[in-house]
Amino acid sequence: MSTATYTVVGMTCGHCVNAVTEEVSQLPGVTAVDVDLPSGGLTLTTDAPVEETAVRAAVEEAGYEVA
Ligand SMILES: [Cu+2]
């Protein structure tokens, strides 16, 4: 189990947090997702390696961007 941290730009409210959490949670290997709205911090807990490109794609799917 390991964690990875990213910064998401473009989130403005709890709805944005939910959208990002939902998309990123669907990635294989992700067991927990924590999003901090004020900082844009996205912390993933994973039990298998998750490619950064996959995380970026999921965040973009939700309508936001990884810094
Ligand atoms: Cu929002």
Side-chain angles (χ1 to χ4, degrees):
M1 194 134 93
S2 60
T3 59
T5 307
Y6 300 89
T7 301
V8 176
V9 290
M11 297 188 298
T12 55
C13 69
H15 176 81
C16 304
V17 171
N18 287 342
V20 169
T21 301
E22 219 167 272
E23 283 296 335
V24 175
S25 295
Q26 290 172 21
L27 293 173
V30 174
T31 56
V33 177
D34 184 70
V35 178
D36 182 60
L37 180 58
S39 70
L42 168 65
T43 304
L44 307 187
T45 305
T46 62
D47 62 5
V50 177
E51 295 287 340
E52 181 179 339
T53 51
V55 175
R56 283 182 176 273
V59 169
E60 279 166 22
E61 186 67 34
Y64 308 97
E65 211 178 308
V66 174

Short mmCIF file of all heavy atoms in Angstrom, two decimals:
data_model
loop_
_atom_site.label_atom_id
_atom_site.label_comp_id
_atom_site.label_asym_id
_atom_site.label_seq_id
_atom_site.Cartn_x
_atom_site.Cartn_y
_atom_site.Cartn_z
N MET A 1 0.85 -1.20 0.00
CA MET A 1 0.00 0.00 0.00
C MET A 1 0.89 1.24 0.00
O MET A 1 1.84 1.33 0.75
CB MET A 1 -0.87 0.00 1.25
CG MET A 1 -1.99 1.01 1.14
SD MET A 1 -3.56 0.32 1.64
CE MET A 1 -3.59 0.75 3.36
N SER A 2 0.58 2.20 -0.86
CA SER A 2 1.36 3.43 -0.87
C SER A 2 0.43 4.60 -1.18
O SER A 2 -0.74 4.41 -1.50
CB SER A 2 2.46 3.35 -1.92
OG SER A 2 1.90 3.16 -3.19
N THR A 3 0.98 5.80 -1.06
CA THR A 3 0.17 6.98 -1.34
C THR A 3 0.87 7.83 -2.40
O THR A 3 2.09 7.78 -2.54
CB THR A 3 -0.07 7.84 -0.09
OG1 THR A 3 1.20 8.25 0.42
CG2 THR A 3 -0.83 7.09 0.97
N ALA A 4 0.08 8.58 -3.13
CA ALA A 4 0.62 9.51 -4.13
C ALA A 4 -0.18 10.80 -4.00
O ALA A 4 -1.38 10.77 -3.73
CB ALA A 4 0.48 8.93 -5.52
N THR A 5 0.50 11.91 -4.18
CA THR A 5 -0.16 13.20 -4.03
C THR A 5 -0.05 14.02 -5.32
O THR A 5 1.00 14.06 -5.95
CB THR A 5 0.48 13.99 -2.87
OG1 THR A 5 0.46 13.17 -1.72
CG2 THR A 5 -0.33 15.25 -2.58
N TYR A 6 -1.16 14.60 -5.69
CA TYR A 6 -1.21 15.46 -6.87
C TYR A 6 -1.89 16.76 -6.49
O TYR A 6 -2.49 16.87 -5.43
CB TYR A 6 -2.04 14.80 -7.99
CG TYR A 6 -1.49 13.48 -8.44
CD1 TYR A 6 -1.89 12.29 -7.81
CD2 TYR A 6 -0.58 13.40 -9.48
CE1 TYR A 6 -1.37 11.07 -8.21
CE2 TYR A 6 -0.06 12.18 -9.88
CZ TYR A 6 -0.46 11.03 -9.25
OH TYR A 6 0.04 9.82 -9.63
N THR A 7 -1.79 17.76 -7.37
CA THR A 7 -2.52 19.00 -7.16
C THR A 7 -3.48 19.19 -8.32
O THR A 7 -3.08 19.13 -9.49
CB THR A 7 -1.56 20.20 -7.07
OG1 THR A 7 -0.66 19.98 -5.99
CG2 THR A 7 -2.34 21.49 -6.82
N VAL A 8 -4.75 19.37 -7.98
CA VAL A 8 -5.80 19.55 -8.99
C VAL A 8 -6.17 21.02 -9.06
O VAL A 8 -6.40 21.66 -8.02
CB VAL A 8 -7.04 18.71 -8.64
CG1 VAL A 8 -8.17 18.96 -9.65
CG2 VAL A 8 -6.69 17.23 -8.60
N VAL A 9 -6.23 21.56 -10.26
CA VAL A 9 -6.64 22.95 -10.41
C VAL A 9 -8.04 23.02 -11.03
O VAL A 9 -8.41 22.17 -11.83
CB VAL A 9 -5.65 23.78 -11.27
CG1 VAL A 9 -4.35 23.99 -10.52
CG2 VAL A 9 -5.39 23.12 -12.60
N GLY A 10 -8.81 24.03 -10.61
CA GLY A 10 -10.12 24.26 -11.20
C GLY A 10 -11.29 23.89 -10.31
O GLY A 10 -12.43 24.17 -10.65
N MET A 11 -11.01 23.28 -9.14
CA MET A 11 -12.11 22.90 -8.26
C MET A 11 -12.55 24.12 -7.44
O MET A 11 -11.72 24.86 -6.94
CB MET A 11 -11.69 21.78 -7.29
CG MET A 11 -11.32 20.49 -7.98
SD MET A 11 -11.06 19.16 -6.79
CE MET A 11 -9.66 19.80 -5.86
N THR A 12 -13.87 24.31 -7.33
CA THR A 12 -14.36 25.47 -6.60
C THR A 12 -15.34 25.14 -5.48
O THR A 12 -15.66 26.01 -4.67
CB THR A 12 -15.08 26.44 -7.57
OG1 THR A 12 -16.10 25.70 -8.25
CG2 THR A 12 -14.11 27.03 -8.58
N CYS A 13 -15.86 23.94 -5.42
CA CYS A 13 -16.85 23.63 -4.40
C CYS A 13 -16.90 22.13 -4.12
O CYS A 13 -16.19 21.34 -4.72
CB CYS A 13 -18.24 24.13 -4.83
SG CYS A 13 -18.93 23.21 -6.21
N GLY A 14 -17.77 21.74 -3.21
CA GLY A 14 -17.89 20.35 -2.82
C GLY A 14 -18.30 19.45 -3.97
O GLY A 14 -17.95 18.27 -4.02
N HIS A 15 -19.06 20.02 -4.90
CA HIS A 15 -19.46 19.22 -6.07
C HIS A 15 -18.24 18.82 -6.89
O HIS A 15 -18.14 17.70 -7.37
CB HIS A 15 -20.44 20.02 -6.93
CG HIS A 15 -20.83 19.30 -8.19
ND1 HIS A 15 -21.77 18.33 -8.25
CD2 HIS A 15 -20.33 19.41 -9.44
CE1 HIS A 15 -21.86 17.87 -9.49
NE2 HIS A 15 -21.00 18.51 -10.23
N CYS A 16 -17.32 19.76 -7.05
CA CYS A 16 -16.08 19.48 -7.78
C CYS A 16 -15.31 18.37 -7.08
O CYS A 16 -14.77 17.47 -7.72
CB CYS A 16 -15.20 20.72 -7.85
SG CYS A 16 -16.01 22.17 -8.56
N VAL A 17 -15.23 18.46 -5.76
CA VAL A 17 -14.52 17.45 -4.98
C VAL A 17 -15.14 16.09 -5.22
O VAL A 17 -14.44 15.10 -5.44
CB VAL A 17 -14.56 17.81 -3.47
CG1 VAL A 17 -14.02 16.66 -2.62
CG2 VAL A 17 -13.77 19.09 -3.20
N ASN A 18 -16.46 16.03 -5.20
CA ASN A 18 -17.15 14.76 -5.42
C ASN A 18 -16.88 14.21 -6.81
O ASN A 18 -16.69 13.00 -6.99
CB ASN A 18 -18.66 14.93 -5.24
CG ASN A 18 -19.05 15.09 -3.78
OD1 ASN A 18 -18.27 14.75 -2.90
ND2 ASN A 18 -20.23 15.62 -3.55
N ALA A 19 -16.88 15.10 -7.81
CA ALA A 19 -16.66 14.66 -9.20
C ALA A 19 -15.28 14.05 -9.35
O ALA A 19 -15.11 12.98 -9.96
CB ALA A 19 -16.84 15.84 -10.15
N VAL A 20 -14.28 14.72 -8.79
CA VAL A 20 -12.90 14.21 -8.88
C VAL A 20 -12.77 12.91 -8.10
O VAL A 20 -12.20 11.93 -8.60
CB VAL A 20 -11.90 15.26 -8.35
CG1 VAL A 20 -10.50 14.67 -8.18
CG2 VAL A 20 -11.85 16.47 -9.28
N THR A 21 -13.34 12.89 -6.89
CA THR A 21 -13.24 11.69 -6.06
C THR A 21 -13.86 10.49 -6.76
O THR A 21 -13.28 9.39 -6.78
CB THR A 21 -13.97 11.92 -4.71
OG1 THR A 21 -13.36 13.04 -4.06
CG2 THR A 21 -13.85 10.70 -3.80
N GLU A 22 -15.02 10.71 -7.38
CA GLU A 22 -15.72 9.62 -8.05
C GLU A 22 -14.91 9.05 -9.21
O GLU A 22 -14.75 7.83 -9.34
CB GLU A 22 -17.06 10.15 -8.57
CG GLU A 22 -18.19 9.17 -8.42
CD GLU A 22 -19.52 9.86 -8.64
OE1 GLU A 22 -20.07 10.40 -7.66
OE2 GLU A 22 -19.97 9.89 -9.79
N GLU A 23 -14.38 9.93 -10.06
CA GLU A 23 -13.62 9.47 -11.23
C GLU A 23 -12.34 8.75 -10.81
O GLU A 23 -12.02 7.68 -11.32
CB GLU A 23 -13.25 10.65 -12.14
CG GLU A 23 -14.39 11.16 -13.00
CD GLU A 23 -14.88 10.11 -14.00
OE1 GLU A 23 -14.11 9.22 -14.39
OE2 GLU A 23 -16.05 10.21 -14.38
N VAL A 24 -11.60 9.36 -9.90
CA VAL A 24 -10.30 8.80 -9.52
C VAL A 24 -10.48 7.49 -8.76
O VAL A 24 -9.67 6.56 -8.88
CB VAL A 24 -9.48 9.83 -8.72
CG1 VAL A 24 -8.18 9.23 -8.21
CG2 VAL A 24 -9.18 11.06 -9.58
N SER A 25 -11.58 7.38 -7.99
CA SER A 25 -11.85 6.16 -7.23
C SER A 25 -12.02 4.95 -8.14
O SER A 25 -11.81 3.81 -7.71
CB SER A 25 -13.12 6.31 -6.40
OG SER A 25 -12.95 7.29 -5.41
N GLN A 26 -12.42 5.20 -9.39
CA GLN A 26 -12.66 4.09 -10.31
C GLN A 26 -11.39 3.49 -10.90
O GLN A 26 -11.43 2.44 -11.53
CB GLN A 26 -13.56 4.57 -11.46
CG GLN A 26 -14.99 4.84 -10.99
CD GLN A 26 -15.83 5.50 -12.07
OE1 GLN A 26 -15.52 5.41 -13.24
NE2 GLN A 26 -16.90 6.16 -11.67
N LEU A 27 -10.25 4.16 -10.71
CA LEU A 27 -9.00 3.63 -11.27
C LEU A 27 -8.61 2.34 -10.56
O LEU A 27 -8.66 2.25 -9.34
CB LEU A 27 -7.88 4.66 -11.10
CG LEU A 27 -8.01 5.95 -11.90
CD1 LEU A 27 -6.90 6.92 -11.50
CD2 LEU A 27 -7.95 5.68 -13.38
N PRO A 28 -8.20 1.34 -11.34
CA PRO A 28 -7.76 0.08 -10.74
C PRO A 28 -6.57 0.32 -9.81
O PRO A 28 -5.64 1.05 -10.18
CB PRO A 28 -7.33 -0.77 -11.94
CG PRO A 28 -7.97 -0.14 -13.13
CD PRO A 28 -8.12 1.31 -12.81
N GLY A 29 -6.61 -0.26 -8.63
CA GLY A 29 -5.50 -0.13 -7.69
C GLY A 29 -5.71 0.95 -6.66
O GLY A 29 -5.01 0.99 -5.65
N VAL A 30 -6.68 1.85 -6.89
CA VAL A 30 -6.94 2.93 -5.94
C VAL A 30 -7.88 2.44 -4.86
O VAL A 30 -8.98 1.95 -5.15
CB VAL A 30 -7.54 4.17 -6.64
CG1 VAL A 30 -7.95 5.23 -5.62
CG2 VAL A 30 -6.53 4.75 -7.63
N THR A 31 -7.46 2.56 -3.59
CA THR A 31 -8.31 2.09 -2.50
C THR A 31 -8.94 3.23 -1.71
O THR A 31 -9.94 3.04 -1.04
CB THR A 31 -7.51 1.20 -1.53
OG1 THR A 31 -6.37 1.93 -1.07
CG2 THR A 31 -7.04 -0.07 -2.22
N ALA A 32 -8.32 4.42 -1.77
CA ALA A 32 -8.90 5.57 -1.07
C ALA A 32 -8.48 6.85 -1.78
O ALA A 32 -7.39 6.94 -2.34
CB ALA A 32 -8.45 5.60 0.38
N VAL A 33 -9.38 7.83 -1.77
CA VAL A 33 -9.11 9.13 -2.41
C VAL A 33 -9.45 10.22 -1.41
O VAL A 33 -10.53 10.21 -0.81
CB VAL A 33 -9.99 9.32 -3.67
CG1 VAL A 33 -9.75 10.69 -4.29
CG2 VAL A 33 -9.72 8.22 -4.68
N ASP A 34 -8.52 11.15 -1.22
CA ASP A 34 -8.78 12.28 -0.34
C ASP A 34 -8.51 13.55 -1.12
O ASP A 34 -7.44 13.73 -1.69
CB ASP A 34 -7.90 12.21 0.90
CG ASP A 34 -8.23 13.34 1.87
OD1 ASP A 34 -9.31 13.28 2.47
OD2 ASP A 34 -7.43 14.28 1.98
N VAL A 35 -9.51 14.44 -1.16
CA VAL A 35 -9.34 15.71 -1.87
C VAL A 35 -9.48 16.86 -0.89
O VAL A 35 -10.44 16.91 -0.11
CB VAL A 35 -10.40 15.87 -2.99
CG1 VAL A 35 -10.24 17.21 -3.69
CG2 VAL A 35 -10.29 14.73 -4.00
N ASP A 36 -8.51 17.76 -0.91
CA ASP A 36 -8.56 18.96 -0.07
C ASP A 36 -8.89 20.14 -0.97
O ASP A 36 -8.08 20.55 -1.80
CB ASP A 36 -7.21 19.16 0.62
CG ASP A 36 -7.24 20.37 1.53
OD1 ASP A 36 -8.06 20.38 2.47
OD2 ASP A 36 -6.46 21.31 1.30
N LEU A 37 -10.10 20.66 -0.81
CA LEU A 37 -10.57 21.72 -1.71
C LEU A 37 -9.71 22.99 -1.67
O LEU A 37 -9.30 23.48 -2.72
CB LEU A 37 -12.04 22.04 -1.41
CG LEU A 37 -12.69 23.13 -2.25
CD1 LEU A 37 -12.62 22.79 -3.74
CD2 LEU A 37 -14.13 23.33 -1.83
N PRO A 38 -9.40 23.55 -0.49
CA PRO A 38 -8.62 24.80 -0.46
C PRO A 38 -7.28 24.72 -1.19
O PRO A 38 -6.90 25.66 -1.89
CB PRO A 38 -8.41 25.06 1.03
CG PRO A 38 -9.51 24.33 1.70
CD PRO A 38 -9.78 23.12 0.85
N SER A 39 -6.57 23.61 -1.05
CA SER A 39 -5.24 23.50 -1.66
C SER A 39 -5.27 22.77 -2.99
O SER A 39 -4.30 22.80 -3.74
CB SER A 39 -4.30 22.76 -0.70
OG SER A 39 -4.69 21.40 -0.61
N GLY A 40 -6.38 22.09 -3.29
CA GLY A 40 -6.43 21.29 -4.50
C GLY A 40 -5.68 19.97 -4.35
O GLY A 40 -5.47 19.25 -5.33
N GLY A 41 -5.28 19.67 -3.15
CA GLY A 41 -4.50 18.45 -2.91
C GLY A 41 -5.34 17.19 -3.15
O GLY A 41 -6.46 17.07 -2.67
N LEU A 42 -4.77 16.27 -3.92
CA LEU A 42 -5.42 14.99 -4.20
C LEU A 42 -4.48 13.90 -3.72
O LEU A 42 -3.37 13.76 -4.23
CB LEU A 42 -5.65 14.86 -5.71
CG LEU A 42 -6.05 13.49 -6.26
CD1 LEU A 42 -7.41 13.06 -5.74
CD2 LEU A 42 -6.05 13.51 -7.79
N THR A 43 -4.91 13.17 -2.71
CA THR A 43 -4.07 12.09 -2.17
C THR A 43 -4.72 10.75 -2.45
O THR A 43 -5.88 10.53 -2.10
CB THR A 43 -3.88 12.27 -0.65
OG1 THR A 43 -3.34 13.56 -0.40
CG2 THR A 43 -2.92 11.21 -0.10
N LEU A 44 -3.97 9.88 -3.11
CA LEU A 44 -4.46 8.55 -3.43
C LEU A 44 -3.77 7.52 -2.56
O LEU A 44 -2.56 7.56 -2.39
CB LEU A 44 -4.14 8.18 -4.88
CG LEU A 44 -4.57 9.13 -5.99
CD1 LEU A 44 -4.30 8.49 -7.33
CD2 LEU A 44 -6.03 9.48 -5.83
N THR A 45 -4.55 6.60 -2.03
CA THR A 45 -3.99 5.43 -1.39
C THR A 45 -4.20 4.28 -2.36
O THR A 45 -5.31 4.08 -2.87
CB THR A 45 -4.70 5.14 -0.05
OG1 THR A 45 -4.63 6.31 0.75
CG2 THR A 45 -4.04 3.98 0.67
N THR A 46 -3.12 3.55 -2.66
CA THR A 46 -3.19 2.53 -3.69
C THR A 46 -2.61 1.21 -3.20
O THR A 46 -1.70 1.20 -2.36
CB THR A 46 -2.42 2.96 -4.96
OG1 THR A 46 -1.05 3.13 -4.62
CG2 THR A 46 -2.96 4.26 -5.51
N ASP A 47 -3.12 0.10 -3.72
CA ASP A 47 -2.54 -1.20 -3.39
C ASP A 47 -1.87 -1.81 -4.62
O ASP A 47 -1.49 -2.97 -4.63
CB ASP A 47 -3.57 -2.13 -2.78
CG ASP A 47 -4.72 -2.45 -3.71
OD1 ASP A 47 -4.67 -2.02 -4.88
OD2 ASP A 47 -5.66 -3.13 -3.28
N ALA A 48 -1.77 -1.01 -5.69
CA ALA A 48 -1.05 -1.40 -6.91
C ALA A 48 -0.58 -0.10 -7.55
O ALA A 48 -1.19 0.94 -7.34
CB ALA A 48 -1.96 -2.17 -7.84
N PRO A 49 0.50 -0.15 -8.32
CA PRO A 49 0.99 1.07 -8.95
C PRO A 49 -0.07 1.67 -9.87
O PRO A 49 -0.69 0.96 -10.66
CB PRO A 49 2.20 0.61 -9.77
CG PRO A 49 2.59 -0.70 -9.17
CD PRO A 49 1.33 -1.32 -8.66
N VAL A 50 -0.28 2.99 -9.76
CA VAL A 50 -1.23 3.69 -10.62
C VAL A 50 -0.45 4.73 -11.41
O VAL A 50 0.22 5.58 -10.83
CB VAL A 50 -2.35 4.35 -9.79
CG1 VAL A 50 -3.29 5.14 -10.69
CG2 VAL A 50 -3.12 3.30 -9.00
N GLU A 51 -0.53 4.64 -12.74
CA GLU A 51 0.20 5.56 -13.60
C GLU A 51 -0.31 6.99 -13.45
O GLU A 51 -1.51 7.22 -13.39
CB GLU A 51 0.01 5.15 -15.08
CG GLU A 51 0.61 3.81 -15.43
CD GLU A 51 2.14 3.84 -15.49
OE1 GLU A 51 2.70 4.95 -15.65
OE2 GLU A 51 2.76 2.78 -15.39
N GLU A 52 0.63 7.93 -13.44
CA GLU A 52 0.24 9.33 -13.36
C GLU A 52 -0.65 9.72 -14.55
O GLU A 52 -1.59 10.51 -14.39
CB GLU A 52 1.48 10.23 -13.33
CG GLU A 52 1.10 11.69 -13.22
CD GLU A 52 2.30 12.64 -13.17
OE1 GLU A 52 3.39 12.18 -12.81
OE2 GLU A 52 2.10 13.83 -13.47
N THR A 53 -0.37 9.13 -15.71
CA THR A 53 -1.18 9.47 -16.89
C THR A 53 -2.64 9.06 -16.69
O THR A 53 -3.54 9.74 -17.14
CB THR A 53 -0.63 8.80 -18.16
OG1 THR A 53 -0.46 7.40 -17.91
CG2 THR A 53 0.69 9.39 -18.58
N ALA A 54 -2.85 7.95 -15.96
CA ALA A 54 -4.21 7.49 -15.71
C ALA A 54 -4.92 8.43 -14.74
O ALA A 54 -6.11 8.71 -14.88
CB ALA A 54 -4.19 6.07 -15.15
N VAL A 55 -4.16 8.92 -13.76
CA VAL A 55 -4.73 9.86 -12.80
C VAL A 55 -5.11 11.16 -13.50
O VAL A 55 -6.21 11.69 -13.32
CB VAL A 55 -3.74 10.14 -11.65
CG1 VAL A 55 -4.29 11.21 -10.71
CG2 VAL A 55 -3.43 8.86 -10.87
N ARG A 56 -4.20 11.63 -14.35
CA ARG A 56 -4.47 12.86 -15.11
C ARG A 56 -5.73 12.69 -15.97
O ARG A 56 -6.58 13.58 -16.04
CB ARG A 56 -3.29 13.19 -16.03
CG ARG A 56 -2.13 13.80 -15.29
CD ARG A 56 -0.99 14.16 -16.24
NE ARG A 56 0.07 14.82 -15.49
CZ ARG A 56 0.11 16.13 -15.26
NH1 ARG A 56 -0.82 16.92 -15.75
NH2 ARG A 56 1.08 16.66 -14.54
N ALA A 57 -5.83 11.55 -16.63
CA ALA A 57 -6.97 11.30 -17.51
C ALA A 57 -8.28 11.29 -16.72
O ALA A 57 -9.29 11.83 -17.16
CB ALA A 57 -6.79 9.99 -18.26
N ALA A 58 -8.24 10.68 -15.53
CA ALA A 58 -9.45 10.61 -14.70
C ALA A 58 -9.86 12.00 -14.22
O ALA A 58 -11.05 12.34 -14.22
CB ALA A 58 -9.21 9.68 -13.51
N VAL A 59 -8.87 12.80 -13.81
CA VAL A 59 -9.16 14.16 -13.35
C VAL A 59 -9.73 14.99 -14.50
O VAL A 59 -10.69 15.76 -14.32
CB VAL A 59 -7.90 14.82 -12.76
CG1 VAL A 59 -8.10 16.31 -12.52
CG2 VAL A 59 -7.50 14.12 -11.44
N GLU A 60 -9.17 14.81 -15.69
CA GLU A 60 -9.67 15.55 -16.86
C GLU A 60 -11.07 15.09 -17.23
O GLU A 60 -11.91 15.89 -17.64
CB GLU A 60 -8.70 15.39 -18.04
CG GLU A 60 -7.52 16.35 -17.89
CD GLU A 60 -6.35 16.03 -18.81
OE1 GLU A 60 -6.57 15.37 -19.84
OE2 GLU A 60 -5.22 16.45 -18.48
N GLU A 61 -11.33 13.80 -17.05
CA GLU A 61 -12.65 13.25 -17.31
C GLU A 61 -13.68 13.95 -16.41
O GLU A 61 -14.81 14.19 -16.82
CB GLU A 61 -12.64 11.74 -17.04
CG GLU A 61 -13.90 11.00 -17.39
CD GLU A 61 -14.17 10.98 -18.88
OE1 GLU A 61 -13.20 10.94 -19.68
OE2 GLU A 61 -15.34 11.02 -19.24
N ALA A 62 -13.27 14.26 -15.19
CA ALA A 62 -14.16 14.95 -14.24
C ALA A 62 -14.30 16.42 -14.59
O ALA A 62 -15.19 17.10 -14.07
CB ALA A 62 -13.62 14.78 -12.82
N GLY A 63 -13.44 16.95 -15.45
CA GLY A 63 -13.54 18.33 -15.88
C GLY A 63 -12.51 19.26 -15.28
O GLY A 63 -12.64 20.48 -15.38
N TYR A 64 -11.45 18.69 -14.68
CA TYR A 64 -10.42 19.51 -14.04
C TYR A 64 -9.06 19.10 -14.57
O TYR A 64 -8.98 18.30 -15.51
CB TYR A 64 -10.52 19.35 -12.51
CG TYR A 64 -11.93 19.60 -12.06
CD1 TYR A 64 -12.80 18.53 -11.85
CD2 TYR A 64 -12.43 20.89 -11.95
CE1 TYR A 64 -14.13 18.75 -11.52
CE2 TYR A 64 -13.75 21.12 -11.62
CZ TYR A 64 -14.60 20.05 -11.40
OH TYR A 64 -15.91 20.28 -11.09
N GLU A 65 -8.01 19.66 -13.96
CA GLU A 65 -6.68 19.44 -14.50
C GLU A 65 -5.70 19.18 -13.36
O GLU A 65 -5.80 19.80 -12.30
CB GLU A 65 -6.25 20.69 -15.26
CG GLU A 65 -5.33 20.40 -16.43
CD GLU A 65 -4.99 21.69 -17.16
OE1 GLU A 65 -5.91 22.43 -17.54
OE2 GLU A 65 -3.79 21.96 -17.33
N VAL A 66 -4.73 18.30 -13.61
CA VAL A 66 -3.65 18.09 -12.64
C VAL A 66 -2.57 19.11 -12.94
O VAL A 66 -2.14 19.24 -14.09
CB VAL A 66 -3.08 16.67 -12.73
CG1 VAL A 66 -1.85 16.52 -11.82
CG2 VAL A 66 -4.14 15.64 -12.33
N ALA A 67 -2.14 19.85 -11.91
CA ALA A 67 -1.11 20.89 -12.11
C ALA A 67 0.22 20.26 -12.45
O ALA A 67 0.53 19.16 -12.00
CB ALA A 67 -0.98 21.74 -10.86
CU CU B 1 -17.84 22.74 -7.88
#
